Amino acid sequence: MKSIGISLLLALLLAPERTRLRPGFNLFSAQQDVEIGKQVSQDAEKKLRIINDSQVGSYITTLGRRLAARAPGEHYPYQFKVVNDKAINAFALPGGFLYINRGIFDNADNEAQLAGVMAHEISHVVLRHGTNQMSKAYAAQAPLAVLGGVLGNNSIGGVLAQTGASFAANSVLLRFSRDAERQADLMGTQILYDSGYNPRAMAQFFEKIEAESGSRGSQFFSDHPNPGNRISSVNQEIAKLGGANRPKNDSTDFQRIKRILKSK
Ligand code: ZN
């Protein structure tokens, strides 16, 4: 008995810890992330076709909140919406405004894969990648304003305009660096694991859509470039977390929502 206890203790001491991830350089407060996200989301929703179906809405909100509850760091007032667009894509604005195209539902085999995409997007919010990129752009353009006071005399709207942060292709808010992608992959995997989902599902889904559509064929990869060695770095993280033991892959709710969306 005693030796089992000691070897267990040794195993715990020797097990590598999960990768710790924190937001990088940022000129904004977390509250300003929410203001920026809200402002850009109002513009986005004029251009996107949001699916207004109560069953779809309650499903995506329940799933999103369950995942967000497992995310570390600042807690944002998340909002989850499904967009009537068959392109395989999803995006998150600062402060927690998430949009998931129906194309993700059409192509995901199970709930864990959808949860993987959402956990990856939630990680971009938690790690504040959008306003990190905005901060870098702003500091490069207006170094004196930055020195004079965080945003100088600029309003949020002024800073958005100055840095080209909007809901548009190539916006600094929506196209992430490979390093940001690597971080969102690792944190997304941690969130999946902590929520009881198969932690391999996120990377499996990205591999699947990349194999089917090619890395340039899917809009998802122009916004979220493949950081390289995705599967192996995710697998290393899963080993640090303790492996994929009895993970949840699917739900009858997911398959029901998938059928509802097919009929739309
Ligand atoms: Zn990403």
Side-chain angles (χ1 to χ4, degrees), residues 120-121 124 176 181 184 220 223-224:
H120 177 100
E121 298 299 334
H124 282 308
F176 298 119
E181 286 309 309
F220 189 84
D223 292 348
H224 303 265

Side-chain angles (χ1 to χ4, degrees), residues 96-138:
F97 300 81
L98 261 77
Y99 298 88
I100 299 105
N101 280 3
R102 65 180 290 185
I104 298 279
F105 283 82
D106 295 342
N107 287 277
D109 299 322
N110 53 48
E111 183 169 87
Q113 292 183 357
L114 167 66
V117 172
M118 294 173 74
H120 177 100
E121 298 299 334
I122 289 169
S123 303
H124 282 308
V125 173
V126 171
L127 293 165
R128 308 185 63 202
H129 287 145
T131 51
N132 166 256
Q133 298 193 140
M134 241 179 107
S135 298
K136 287 182 194 162
Y138 190 70

